[in-house]
Amino acid sequence: MPDSFLTSSERETLTILADAVIPESVKFGVPGAGDPLIVEEIESDAAKQMPDISKSLNELEILAEQFGGDVFSNLDSTKRCIVVEEFRSAHPAAAAKIGNLVVQCYYRDDRVMRSLGMELRAPHPKGYEVPDGDWSLLEPVRRRESFYRRTD
Amino acid sequence: MREDVADVLIIGAGASGAVMAWSLAETKMRIVCLEQGPLMNPLTYPSTARDWEARTQGDFATNPNIRRLPQDYPVNEENTPIKVANFNGVGGGTILYAGHFPRFHPSDFRVKSLDGVADDWPIDYATIAPYYAENERMTGVAGMNGDPAYPSDNAERTPALPLGLAGDTLAKGFNSLGWHWWPSDTAIITEERDGRAPCINLGACGAGCAQGAKGSSDVTYWPHALRAGVELRTRCRVREITVGNDGMATGAIYYDGDGNEQEIKAHVVVMACNGIGTPRLLLNSTSQLFPNGLANTSDQVGRNLMFHPYSWACGVFEEEQDGFAGPHKLIRSQEFYETDENRGYVRGYTLEIQRGMPPVRTAQTALRLGMVPWGEGHHDAYRKLFKRTTGMVAVCEDLPEAHNRVTLDPNMTDSNGIPAPKIDYTLSENSRKMLDHGVARSTDILKAAGAYEVYSEAPIPYGGWHLMGTARMGKDPKTSVVNEWGRSHDVKNLFIVDGSIFVTSAGVNPTNTIQALALYVADQMKSRLANLFD
C-alpha cells in the first residue's frame, strides 16, 4: 500500500464512516469496521479497487459542512448519522462502493471470522466437507415419465 | 526474415479454441493458436489466500471493465441492462465459469418449427449428440444418468456432486410441489481423472479452481493439444485478419506481449474469440473486398446478440445450510423448460440451484438489496443470513433480435489502440415475462422448502456470462455468417467455432454445446480436407 494513498484526515473520515457501516458489537464480541487493522485493509483494497475514494470522502466532508457546520470528525453522533444518510442519498454509487469495500475487509478479519465460527484459513488446499445428502429424495423424480419435447 | 506460416491459425484459447487445437492436432498440420491472455497458474488463484473474495472483484472479476487487466479490452456497456462477463487467458471464460454443463434439448434446434419464433438450426440434436459425449469424456462431468427431462444418453459421468444441506432442503421443496429436479451435469470431477484431482468443495469455482477439479479448458484439452504439438502463443492480441485479392483469409496481424506488431500467414483461420470478441475482430478486419467487415456481406456480423437473462431468488431459512462450501451448482430443474402457451411467453428456462454465499458476498448482496442495514442492527441482520440462505437462478432462453448487436465503439480502444466493442441490447417482452415467471416459481419452491423470507432480482445486471448469436450459422448466406459446418459463407478458409454461431440460445448454459459444436466443425474439416475450400 502506498503510504500516502490517503491523508491522515481522509483516513480519519474513512474510519468514522466504516464504523457507521458496521459498528462494534459487544453482544457478538467483534470490533467495528473502523478498527485500525480493518481500516488498514480497507485503505489497501481501495488503492486497487477504488482509487478515487478521496473524491468521495471529500463529498462527504462537503455534506458535513453543509448539514453539520464542521468537519465530519468533529460532529456528534447524531449529526454524523444525518450526514451519512445525506451522503448515501446524494452519492448512492460512491456510498455503495465504500460499503462494499468495508464489508469486503471486515468479513475476513480474524476476530470477525472466529465469531462466525469460521476457520481462519484460505479455502485451498484443505477444502471443506459437504454431506452427500439424502438421495432417496430423488425417487419420485426417477419414477416420472420422460417429458422432453419430441421433435420427430 | 523467414515468413511465419501456419497451416491452421486459431484465434483464442478458450472453450472452443482448445477443442479445435486438440481435435485438429491429429492431422499433424502446423497449428498455431494466438491468445491475448496468459497461461493461468492455479497456485495463484484467489482461493489460495484469505482475501479471495476481494480478488473476485478485482483481478478475477467477471466483468472486463472492472477487472481491467492488461489483456482485457474494454466494452462499451452503456446501452445494455446486462453487462458482459468474460475472461482473457488460456481457458477463456471456462476459468471463471461455474461448470454447469447441460446439453441442449432436441427441441432447442427446432425453435421455428415448434414455436414459430427465431430460426431452426441447420443441424439437429442427433447430429451433435456424439460430440456432446466426446466433450463430456474429455472434460470430465459429474452427474447422474436417467434424467426424464432429456433423451437417454448413457454418457460417462463421475458420481454426482453432493446434495449437501441445501440440496436436501430444496429437493424437498421441489418434491412437495411435484416438480422436476435432477443432479446437475457439472464439469467438476468427483473422482481422479486424466491426472486431475477430484473436487474438495473449495466453494470458489467462480474464481478459478486451484484444485484443478473444474474442467476449464486449460486443464482438459490444452495439455493434450500441447503434447500433440500445437503451438500456443500467449499475450498475443490479434488486430485484424488479413485477406488476399482472391477473398481468402491469408493470416492475421497481431501485437505480441511486448507490443510489437507481428504478422502470421495461415492457410486456414479459425475464430474462437466468443460472441463479443469474434464480431469485434471481424468488424475490425476491413478491406477493399470487405468494407463492412470480414465475412459480413449478410450484415449479420454482430447482430442477434443473445445473453441468457438471469433471474435470482434467495430464501432465508431458520436452519443452517451449506454456506459457500461445495460447488455452486448441485441440482437443476427443467419443469418450465419447454413452451407452454398458458404462461404468456414462448420457450422456457432452467432453474439452477445455487448453494450459498461466502461471508463477503453475503454482506454485499444483503447491503445492495437492503436485507442488512448500515449501522445499528447490522450484526443481527447479517447473522440471520450467513450460512442460512440458499436459492436459485432461472437461466432464460433469449431469442435472437437483429437490433441486439455488437458494433465498434468510435472512441474506445484497448491498450493496443484496437477499437473496442459497443453493445446495444434491449430485454424483450418475452424475456421480461419469462424472468417474472422464473422469480414467481423460484419463490414457490423456496417457500415450499421452508424459507421464511425470499429476496429476488431480475435480470441480474452482471450476468452476461453467455455470449451468443453474433455470427450465426445457417444455410442461407443472406441471413447467416457461417454454413452448417462453421465455414464462413464469404471466406472459404475462415471458420468460426465459438458461441457466435448459435442460432438460438436454448435455456441452458452453452459451454457443452460450444465445445461439442467445435468438435463437430473440426470433424467436418478433417473429413473434407481434400476439398475444404470448394
Side-chain angles (χ1 to χ4, degrees), chain B residues 181-195:
Chain B
W181 66 276
W182 199 258
S184 293
D185 287 319
T186 309
I188 297 175
I189 50 175
T190 51
E191 293 173 339
E192 280 187 26
R193 187 183 175 89
D194 197 21

Side-chain angles (χ1 to χ4, degrees), chain B residues 80-96:
Chain B
T80 171
I82 299 175
K83 312 302 179 192
V84 169
N86 69 10
F87 194 74
N88 295 305
V90 178
T94 64
I95 298 296
L96 301 188

Side-chain angles (χ1 to χ4, degrees), chain B residues 57-286:
Chain B
Q57 291 157 70
D59 60 339
F60 275 75
T62 57
N63 183 270
N65 295 337
I66 295 173
R67 200 170 54 233
R68 292 181 301 175
L69 294 174
Q71 62 266 29
D72 290 318
Y73 53 87
V75 180
N76 182 336
E77 302 175 304
E78 286 176 13
N79 196 28
T80 171
I82 299 175
K83 312 302 179 192
V84 169
N86 69 10
F87 194 74
N88 295 305
V90 178
T94 64
I95 298 296
L96 301 188
Y97 79 157
H100 205 211
F101 222 62
R103 298 181 178 193
F104 276 25
H105 294 64
S107 64
D108 293 322
F109 296 90
R110 292 286 174 269
V111 173
K112 178 79 169 176
S113 299
L114 293 171
D115 294 318
V117 293
D119 285 295
D120 288 346
W121 288 59
I123 56 174
D124 60 13
Y125 180 84
T127 303
I128 209 76
Y131 299 99
Y132 276 130
E134 184 172 20
N135 189 46
E136 288 153 2
R137 181 182 62 77
M138 284 296 293
T139 302
V141 175
M144 195 177 281
N145 292 348
D147 185 349
Y150 275 96
S152 172
D153 59 27
N154 294 317
E156 190 177 312
R157 294 176 169 94
T158 68
L161 297 166
L163 284 176
L165 300 172
D168 280 0
T169 298
L170 293 172
K172 287 172 190 164
F174 281 109
N175 284 354
S176 72
L177 295 164
W179 291 349
H180 167 263
W181 66 276
W182 199 258
S184 293
D185 287 319
T186 309
I188 297 175
I189 50 175
T190 51
E191 293 173 339
E192 280 187 26
R193 187 183 175 89
D194 197 21
R196 293 162 49 208
C199 178
I200 52 172
N201 303 310
L202 299 176
C205 313
C209 180
Q211 174 77 350
K214 186 179 79 172
S216 49
S217 68
D218 60 325
V219 299
T220 57
Y221 284 96
W222 270 116
H224 294 284
L226 293 172
R227 281 197 287 271
V230 174
E231 183 185 344
L232 172 61
R233 297 181 193 172
T234 57
R235 299 195 186 278
C236 292
R237 174 180 277 153
V238 176
R239 184 182 79 198
E240 64 180 281
I241 296 166
T242 51
V243 287
N245 294 330
D246 57 357
M248 299 285 272
T250 55
I253 296 171
Y254 67 96
Y255 296 99
D256 65 22
D258 297 321
N260 299 316
E261 185 178 311
Q262 305 284 356
E263 181 167 15
I264 182 168
K265 300 284 186 186
H267 301 300
V268 173
V269 175
V270 179
M271 302 192 68
C273 316
N274 81 42
I276 304 292
T278 284
R280 176 200 184 205
L281 182 51
L282 290 173
L283 293 171
N284 270 317
S285 301
T286 54

